[in-house]
């Protein structure tokens, strides 16, 4: 198991930027692929972005391609989500996820995934 703690959320105007961070506990961080999901009020949790343990494989949801960038620093046990050109529809609670492979992060329903942080609220205003 791995414990995850997200931070960096907040209130931002449309068109602005935020950077989310997720710090993982333990010495096995670099064996995990990492993902970001989000859940807007009244909606299902949805995939946003994922990165393999080495950082060589990265996937994005179509809705954020070209605007969001996922990255990781294995020396700091941290994964980041840089969010630029934010839109009103990006408003959600953002969750960090860790799995042993990037494949389930990208392909499976979120209910099938195991390791989650507590979430951080991102609110985009007009």
């Amino acid at each position: 198991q791995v414990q995850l703690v997200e931070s960096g959320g907040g209130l931002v105007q449309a068109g602005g930027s935020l950077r989310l961070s997720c710090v993982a506990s333990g010495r096995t961080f670099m064996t995990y692929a990492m993902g970001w999901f989000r859940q807007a009020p009244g909606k299902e949790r949805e995939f946003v972005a994922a990165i393999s343990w080495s950082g060589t494989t990265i996937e994005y949801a179509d809705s954020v391609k070209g605007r969001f960038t996922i990255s990781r620093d294995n020396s700091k046990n941290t994964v980041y989500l840089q969010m630029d050109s934010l839109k009103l529809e990006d408003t959600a609670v953002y969750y960090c996820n860790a799995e042993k492979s990037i494949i389930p992060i990208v392909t499976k329903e979120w209910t099938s995934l195991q390791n989650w942080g507590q979430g951080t609220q991102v609110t985009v205003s007009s």
Side-chain angles (χ1 to χ4, degrees), residues 63-116:
S63 58
V64 305
K65 276 181 184 175
R67 301 188 299 120
F68 290 11
T69 303
I70 189 171
S71 62
R72 65 189 295 160
D73 186 338
N74 287 342
S75 69
K76 296 181 179 180
N77 280 18
T78 302
V79 62
Y80 304 98
L81 185 68
Q82 177 67 41
M83 304 186 296
D84 298 318
S85 302
L86 282 161
K87 303 177 180 180
L88 296 179
E89 53 263 41
D90 294 320
T91 294
V93 178
Y94 284 71
Y95 295 92
C96 180
N97 165 257
E99 302 295 327
K100 284 297 188 178
S101 166
I102 194 174
I103 295 174
I105 297 174
V106 177
T107 63
K108 289 194 173 182
E109 291 295 321
W110 72 272
T111 50
S112 300
L113 305 178
Q114 300 298 317
N115 302 298
W116 295 96

Side-chain angles (χ1 to χ4, degrees), residues 10-56:
L11 175 64
V12 63
Q13 285 193 321
S17 298
L18 279 176
R19 188 175 83 155
L20 306 183
S21 300
C22 172
V23 179
S25 64
R27 286 183 266 182
T28 59
F29 174 73
M30 67 178 298
T31 67
Y32 284 88
M34 301 297 296
W36 286 97
F37 287 71
R38 66 187 181 186
Q39 188 165 14
K43 294 189 176 181
E44 282 287 306
R45 193 171 300 188
E46 64 176 5
F47 168 75
V48 174
I51 186 168
S52 61
W53 69 269
S54 63
T56 55

